Amino acid sequence: MEILFLGGCALLLLACALPLVSLLFKLGKASHRIALFITLAGISCITTTALICFFTGADYQQLIYALTPELTFSIHLDKLAAFFVALIGFVAFCAVIYSFNYIEHGAIEKRKHVLTALLPLFILSMIMVVAADNMFALLFFWEIMSISSFFLVMYDREKAETQKAGIFYFVMTQLSTFFLFIAFLLVYRYTGTFDIEATDALPQAVKSFAFIALFIGFGTKAGLIPFHKWLPYAHSASPSNISALMSGVMLKIAIYGLCRFTFDVLQPELWWGFVLLVFGTVSAVLGVIYALKEHDLKKLLAYHSIENIGIIVVGLGLYVIFNHYGLQTPANLSLVGALFHTLNHAIFKSLLFMTAGSVVQATGTRNIEEMGGLVKKMPVTAVLFLIGSCAISALPPLNGFASEIMIFLSYLGAFELDNPVIEIVMVIGLAAFALMSALAATCFVKAFGIVFLAKPRSKEAGKAMEAPPGMLVGPAILALTCIVLGVFSFQIIKAVGYELPVPDMLPVSILLLLITAIFVGLLKLFRVPVRIGETWGCGIQKQTPAMEYTATGFSEPIVTIFKLIYRTKKTNEKEYFDPAKSITKHTKAKIATFQFFEERVYMPLANLFMKSAAFISEKHNKDLETFILYAFITVVLLLVAAGLWL
Amino acid sequence: MNWNMILYIVLNTAFVFLFAPLLISLIKKVKALCQGRHGTPLLQTYFQLFKLFKKEIIYSDNSSFIQRISPYLNIAFLLVASIFVPIVFIPAQESGFGNIILFLYLMVCARFFMALSGLDAGSTFGGMGSSREMTIASIIEPTTLMACAAIAFILKTTDIPQMFGTVLNGSILQYLPLLLVACSLFIILIVETARVPVDNPETHLELTMVHEAMILEQSGPKLALMELSYGIKQLILMALLINIIFPWGLATDATVSGILISVASFIVKAVILAVAIGVFESFFAKIRFFRLPDFFIIAFFLSFATILFELLS
């Protein structure tokens, strides 16, 4: 096991070094391929180790390097860590397969080398965060993960939008590290060790404080609302294989952290459960509502990541509440549901990001209003995207439904509680959950329908070509997994060792296939004649793409109904030829949605910091006398303070 | 899977399949009579379906595989959903069939593909229909789940056959709050079957249309499958409502006499409900689209009130 895991890590480091070497010695494209192959081998080794640990229940512990006796790099794979490492490994494997063709698309040769080099480093750092045995190692790899992903986000650094994304991402990711630092130092202050398990020994009040710090730290990285704003920017600006990894995997690392610290080590209190439940529900509902108005394909998917992280956090919150009341069945349902959804979301979201990447590459735009008709140009990509859409919309019998039903059923477990107030809160949560899930389906009808169906809405979309094979194989593996994990969910949960009251999806799937086959067979048997005609359009001469329904039109009813949330501003400016205002010269109409979090929360905070920084820097820019005065004031203040306290 | 279950699946599906078109024409007949017309014969829907099955299929040249597969998927999802609602007899427990949330989501699946097929041909009508359908579906969904949660709460199970069994063994007097949920379920039934205050099943080219707009591009046998799945959806939602409050007559084991009594009593109850729907439709005018949330809130409130009532008693 040792050789397999460390060998895998070594291979990933080698894959990281190779493109950098070839950058120095000007080796050609072959080095990318070799580096990616080595990455695949490395990931396979590590994933195998994790799977062995997960299924045999073996604990794998290893000391890699001790800086001092206190500060050590050691790894520990227990069942929880092994689950997450296997998840990272599997998704990363498919993303690397996708990268073979995707990387070659870039324009600047140097950057391709850097991208190929940073990819294995990013994957390795994520694996090591999960595998880390102590807080010091965890934080170290956490920072490597943040920094390597920052450089990956900055791939197209000339674009103004990428620069904005980079700033948002860097500040937010450092903010999350800052809060983790606070939590870890707090633990160290009370226990004198960086061991994760030692956190247990904290006094209860400090535990709550540590929980808040950890929640903000991990919540920022996971993209929970209101700490989410970096997510849509960073996911849309980065290359698609990286967005797939960031959304599919990196957000899950934060979920791992939350699980490890709140449930495994600290004894959660009841109110923690409510914090998780409320933040989770708000993220889930607002995430999907923001996704609906989004017409940038990758931003739309990014908002759905916020939604799905919300679902996972709701599951964790329900676990805390039910566990507190000792209701074992709903507690297990919600915990297994949350973890299963973590896996499922990793799979279908990376599938969607990869296929979206192929679409963006083929059409050269991320705006879905300029797509359309791609189902005929890119049929395989379309089918793969459709499977992903069905999975994320929680349609049975796919995997997204398999995990969401667990959360639904655990919500219904609320009726076994004795506390009416909590029950009412849960019922409202359930309604919000149902709304979220229905809106997600609406959003993906829009996404698939506008991107792939009808006629191409722009010239570029009309000229799109099917993605190269590597960019189909990676997502295809994920799509197949979506189906398998959904249809056999009952059997898989049983095999992992949980007896849960969830419906068996296998007979339903068999019957679905059977009935479809019967009707297809019937129509074939009677040889129904088929004719290709035009779309019926009330007698129009020729149908053009301008007559099709647009994404804006599609989501308009939802935007109107939820106008309180969107705060839509409709402005209509007119200029006239004559003073009587009867003949119009120009008309300008604009519909803008208010960016609540950016305009009301983020920018005021950022401006506050900018102002205080400007104030301080102005004070620095003075002559010698002023500095002597500063020194004098400081000495006086220190003397006064010393006099008071000593 | 045992023989009891297989017999149940075959009989229940066959009954749903054969009986569904009759209810469509029955409601039309009731509405016609309310408006002082004679209306079409009761078997008209069967004739229409038969005629459609003999016609050719026309696809738009813009359309893709979505338009071709969605009628099959629609009817498959709804027929599988119909297995979840026992009409001929309550089968012995079997994992996989009966969970109320899975039942709801099977119907969501059917709707998902129908909405996609509306966008497929690139026609403005289809797009408008899908957009509106998905909007209505999104805002009714919390209500639907709330109603289901209320039923699950009162009857202490999430399994539909068990729910029917519980009410059958007890009396409705034990479960009075169910009557409130029934009102809520009735509104959901009206919404889901695209009936008058929400949508108008009789218009094809009005701006009011939602459901009819999405299937505008379907033709021949494919249109017949769409019409049939609409009928099936209506029938199973009616069956859910009927058997939750008045399950009497429903057999608990597979005997010939039991099945006959179940079917006969169900037909009587379904006819009464269909007449009620027809009359209800005739009394209402279509509500403006953006006023619909207000209508749904009534149903939401009724379900929520049921839960509160049950919690505090």
Side-chain angles (χ1 to χ4, degrees):
Chain A
M1 214 134 62
E2 222 176 289
I3 303 170
L4 212 55
F5 190 85
L6 293 182
C9 297
L11 282 175
L12 285 180
L13 283 177
L14 179 67
C16 172
L18 195 68
L20 295 179
V21 172
S22 81
L23 189 65
L24 288 179
F25 297 106
K26 304 248 183 304
L27 298 175
K29 273 184 192 170
S31 67
H32 297 163
R33 287 186 169 269
I34 298 168
L36 289 175
F37 271 120
I38 297 174
T39 315
L40 280 184
I43 296 172
S44 317
C45 292
I46 295 174
T47 315
T48 318
T49 323
L51 286 176
I52 292 172
C53 284
F54 185 70
F55 283 107
T56 61
D59 253 19
Y60 166 59
Q61 254 174 319
Q62 172 102 38
L63 179 73
I64 298 179
Y65 178 70
L67 212 58
T68 67
E70 271 295 301
L71 306 177
T72 56
F73 291 106
S74 51
I75 50 177
H76 179 196
L77 285 186
D78 59 357
K79 210 166 181 176
L80 184 67
F83 169 74
F84 275 89
V85 170
L87 178 157
I88 300 167
F90 178 68
V91 175
F93 189 84
C94 299
V96 172
I97 294 179
Y98 177 83
S99 304
F100 274 99
N101 288 116
Y102 185 82
I103 282 182
E104 298 313 328
H105 176 71
I108 304 165
E109 200 58 35
K110 249 189 208 168
R111 270 189 216 169
K112 287 187 209 165
H113 286 290
V114 178
L115 182 62
T116 326
L118 284 175
L119 186 67
L121 183 68
F122 179 45
I123 296 170
L124 178 66
S125 63
M126 291 194 291
I127 290 171
M128 293 309 276
V129 171
V130 174
D133 191 24
N134 56 49
M135 291 181 246
F136 169 69
L138 190 148
L139 211 55
F140 178 81
F141 291 115
W142 180 272
E143 272 304 275
I144 294 190
M145 173 178 91
S146 301
I147 292 168
S148 58
S149 56
F150 168 72
F151 283 113
L152 288 168
V153 169
M154 293 300 284
Y155 181 75
D156 276 324
R157 59 162 193 254
E158 292 84 10
K159 288 186 191 158
E161 141 189 65
T162 309
Q163 289 165 6
K164 186 177 179 187
I167 291 265
F168 261 94
Y169 182 52
F170 197 74
V171 172
M172 296 298 282
T173 197
Q174 289 311 306
L175 192 74
S176 97
T177 312
F178 172 72
F179 278 99
L180 292 188
F181 248 114
I182 293 184
F184 293 170
L185 288 178
L186 198 70
V187 174
Y188 184 75
R189 164 84 178 68
Y190 278 91
T191 62
T193 161
F194 280 114
D195 195 19
I196 291 177
E197 304 292 326
T199 317
D200 193 24
L202 290 178
Q204 198 57 43
V206 181
K207 271 185 187 172
S208 296
F209 193 76
F211 167 73
I212 294 172
L214 287 169
F215 177 72
I216 298 178
F218 287 125
T220 309
K221 198 70 179 181
L224 275 181
I225 287 176
F227 319 114
H228 67 290
K229 201 66 214 192
W230 63 272
L231 208 144
Y233 288 130
H235 282 45
S236 62
S238 47
S240 298
N241 52 349
I242 303 305
S243 334
L245 276 178
M246 280 174 75
S247 177
V249 185
M250 194 179 74
L251 305 183
K252 308 304 177 313
I253 310 276
I255 296 295
Y256 163 77
L258 217 50
C259 288
R260 171 65 84 201
F261 281 95
T262 30
F263 309 135
D264 193 29
V265 184
L266 302 171
Q267 278 91 41
E269 288 179 52
L270 185 60
W271 66 269
W272 300 8
F274 284 102
V275 169
L276 292 171
L277 190 64
V278 168
F279 276 87
T281 307
V282 168
S283 299
V285 175
L286 284 186
V288 67
I289 284 183
Y290 288 145
L292 267 162
K293 68 139 213 291
E294 201 51 71
H295 298 150
D296 177 326
L297 184 56
K298 285 173 79 177
K299 270 192 189 163
L300 182 147
L301 293 177
Y303 277 115
H304 274 286
S305 295
I306 297 175
E307 174 219 329
N308 280 285
I309 289 291
I311 297 175
I312 296 167
V313 173
V314 164
L316 297 179
L318 287 176
Y319 169 73
V320 173
I321 296 170
F322 286 127
N323 204 34
H324 183 265
Y325 284 103
L327 293 174
Q328 220 43 57
T329 312
N332 280 344
L333 260 177
S334 51
L335 186 64
V336 175
L339 290 179
F340 194 32
H341 198 72
T342 310
L343 173 67
N344 292 338
H345 177 244
I347 291 167
F348 59 64
K349 188 46 74 64
S350 44
L351 162 63
L352 285 168
F353 262 115
M354 286 181 208
T355 39
S358 309
V359 168
V360 171
Q361 210 173 70
T363 57
T365 174
R366 294 204 306 260
N367 183 357
I368 58 176
E369 304 276 31
E370 290 170 24
M371 297 176 183
L374 295 178
V375 68
K376 292 181 203 72
K377 317 276 176 194
M378 318 173 72
V380 183
T381 308
V383 172
L384 294 175
F385 192 90
L386 182 63
I387 294 175
S389 307
C390 292
I392 199 172
S393 311
L395 301 190
L398 297 181
N399 61 351
F401 176 74
S403 43
E404 276 188 35
I405 193 176
M406 291 186 193
I407 308 218
F408 269 123
L409 291 176
S410 75
Y411 256 125
L412 293 179
F415 297 130
E416 289 167 37
L417 292 170
D418 279 334
N419 187 334
V421 179
I422 296 182
E423 280 173 305
I424 289 171
V425 170
M426 293 261 205
V427 165
I428 293 169
L430 176 66
F433 204 77
L435 175 71
M436 174 279 302
S437 143
L439 286 174
T442 309
C443 193
F444 274 92
V445 168
K446 176 185 103 169
F448 186 82
I450 306 292
V451 173
F452 289 100
L453 300 182
K455 273 172 126 86
R457 291 172 172 80
S458 68
K459 266 186 199 155
E460 287 74 23
K463 281 185 271 178
M465 302 271 278
E466 180 62 282
M471 286 165 68
L472 298 175
V473 173
I477 299 174
L478 292 168
L480 200 67
T481 321
C482 277
I483 298 172
V484 171
L485 281 183
V487 173
F488 297 99
S489 55
F490 183 75
Q491 287 77 3
I492 290 170
I493 298 289
K494 216 171 181 179
V496 175
Y498 289 95
E499 276 295 339
L500 296 173
V502 286
D504 186 355
M505 230 100 80
L506 188 60
V508 171
S509 321
I510 294 172
L511 269 181
L512 276 175
L513 262 181
L514 192 71
I515 295 177
T516 316
I518 288 174
F519 281 104
V520 173
L522 268 180
L523 259 65
K524 280 265 177 322
L525 194 69
F526 286 105
R527 302 218 173 120
V528 181
V530 172
R531 183 154 65 86
I532 302 293
E534 280 170 35
T535 301
W536 187 80
C538 272
I540 44 168
Q541 294 288 317
K542 192 174 179 299
Q543 200 203 5
T544 68
M547 297 170 184
E548 290 164 14
Y549 230 56
T550 58
T552 318
F554 192 89
S555 46
E556 171 62 24
I558 300 264
V559 171
T560 310
I561 289 171
F562 291 100
K563 58 177 180 285
L564 267 179
I565 293 176
Y566 291 110
R567 314 256 194 111
T568 322
K569 280 179 273 184
K570 292 183 185 172
T571 48
N572 207 345
E573 289 167 22
K574 282 185 182 174
E575 277 179 51
Y576 301 93
F577 278 109
D578 56 323
K581 294 192 175 176
S582 52
I583 307 165
T584 327
K585 196 186 209 172
H586 293 295
T587 314
K588 214 164 120 187
K590 197 174 151 195
I591 303 178
T593 45
F594 180 57
Q595 306 259 333
F596 176 77
F597 285 100
E598 193 166 337
E599 290 174 33
R600 286 288 157 85
V601 182
Y602 284 75
M603 290 335 271
L605 263 179
N607 287 339
L608 190 74
F609 277 102
M610 293 296 275
K611 268 187 198 154
S612 47
F615 178 74
I616 292 170
S617 73
E618 189 202 301
K619 296 285 165 276
H620 281 186
N621 203 4
K622 293 284 157 93
D623 50 10
L624 187 63
E625 286 81 15
T626 324
F627 274 96
I628 292 172
L629 179 69
Y630 288 166
F632 178 69
I633 293 173
T634 315
V635 169
V636 171
L637 284 179
L638 279 175
L639 280 176
V640 171
L644 278 177
W645 276 304
L646 291 178
Chain B
M1 201 172 277
N2 51 24
W3 286 110
N4 175 286
M5 193 66 194
I6 291 173
L7 176 73
Y8 163 75
I9 290 176
V10 172
L11 283 182
N12 208 57
T13 318
F15 174 75
V16 167
F17 194 77
L18 293 175
F19 187 57
L22 185 70
L23 285 179
I24 300 180
S25 16
L26 179 64
I27 296 177
K28 275 189 185 153
K29 185 85 178 172
V30 173
K31 283 175 74 177
L33 291 176
C34 284
Q35 291 160 358
R37 293 184 284 123
H38 284 293
T40 49
L42 275 180
L43 294 180
Q44 184 63 33
T45 314
Y46 293 99
F47 302 147
Q48 269 173 359
L49 289 176
F50 186 68
K51 193 175 169 190
L52 281 173
F53 268 113
K54 286 193 301 186
K55 287 192 162 188
E56 64 173 356
I57 302 178
I58 307 172
Y59 293 122
S60 155
D61 49 1
N62 294 337
S63 68
S64 66
F65 72 95
I66 293 286
Q67 197 189 354
R68 289 160 177 74
I69 62 166
S70 71
Y72 298 128
L73 290 180
N74 245 282
I75 195 145
F77 278 120
L78 287 167
L79 276 179
V80 172
S82 78
I83 298 169
F84 285 55
V85 189
I87 295 173
V88 289
F89 64 90
I90 299 178
Q93 285 309 303
E94 185 84 23
S95 171
F97 295 102
N99 188 293
I100 194 158
I101 292 174
L102 182 53
F103 167 75
L104 292 179
Y105 274 80
L106 284 169
M107 294 203 294
V108 172
C109 274
R111 179 189 299 127
F112 186 86
F113 283 98
M114 186 160 59
L116 278 185
S117 77
L119 285 166
D120 198 16
S123 129
T124 320
F125 294 113
M128 194 180 293
S130 336
S131 163
R132 289 176 177 175
E133 170 83 8
M134 292 314 286
T135 306
I136 294 176
S138 304
I139 46 179
I140 193 70
E141 190 72 19
T143 310
T144 317
L145 240 126
M146 195 61 94
C148 293
I151 298 168
F153 183 26
I154 296 167
L155 300 175
K156 309 279 177 248
T157 171
T158 51
D159 191 77
I160 299 176
Q162 267 184 33
M163 289 173 179
F164 295 174
T166 313
V167 184
L168 194 61
N169 291 333
S171 106
I172 188 72
L173 294 175
Q174 278 176 294
Y175 307 109
L176 269 182
L178 275 182
L179 291 176
L180 273 179
V181 191
C183 300
S184 170
L185 276 181
F186 184 78
I187 294 180
I188 292 165
L189 170 66
I190 296 286
V191 177
E192 291 279 340
T193 53
R195 295 211 162 268
V196 148
V198 180
D199 185 9
N200 192 345
E202 257 122 67
T203 51
H204 264 290
L205 278 180
E206 294 297 323
L207 288 176
T208 59
M209 62 185 187
V210 181
H211 175 264
E212 293 295 317
M214 278 188 293
I215 58 172
L216 203 57
E217 283 298 318
Q218 300 287 0
S219 53
K222 293 291 178 78
L223 179 61
L225 286 183
M226 281 303 206
E227 295 283 353
L228 248 176
S229 24
Y230 170 77
I232 292 167
K233 185 178 182 182
Q234 173 171 286
L235 175 61
I236 55 181
L237 282 169
M238 285 169 75
L240 182 69
L241 172 59
I242 290 171
N243 281 346
I244 276 198
I245 45 170
F246 298 113
W248 293 280
L250 191 56
T252 44
D253 44 356
T255 55
V256 178
S257 57
I259 292 171
L260 284 179
I261 293 172
S262 298
V263 170
S265 65
F266 179 78
I267 291 177
V268 173
K269 289 180 273 185
V271 166
I272 296 171
L273 183 59
V275 171
I277 292 173
V279 174
F280 178 85
E281 259 199 298
S282 309
F283 274 105
F284 275 87
K286 166 118 178 30
I287 301 179
R288 205 186 137 221
F289 189 75
F290 290 115
R291 285 282 166 79
L292 284 179
D294 304 351
F295 179 59
F296 297 169
I297 290 220
I298 302 172
F300 186 82
F301 172 75
L302 287 173
S303 310
F304 194 69
T306 316
I307 292 177
L308 283 185
F309 191 76
E310 190 68 16
L311 269 177
L312 301 175
S313 64

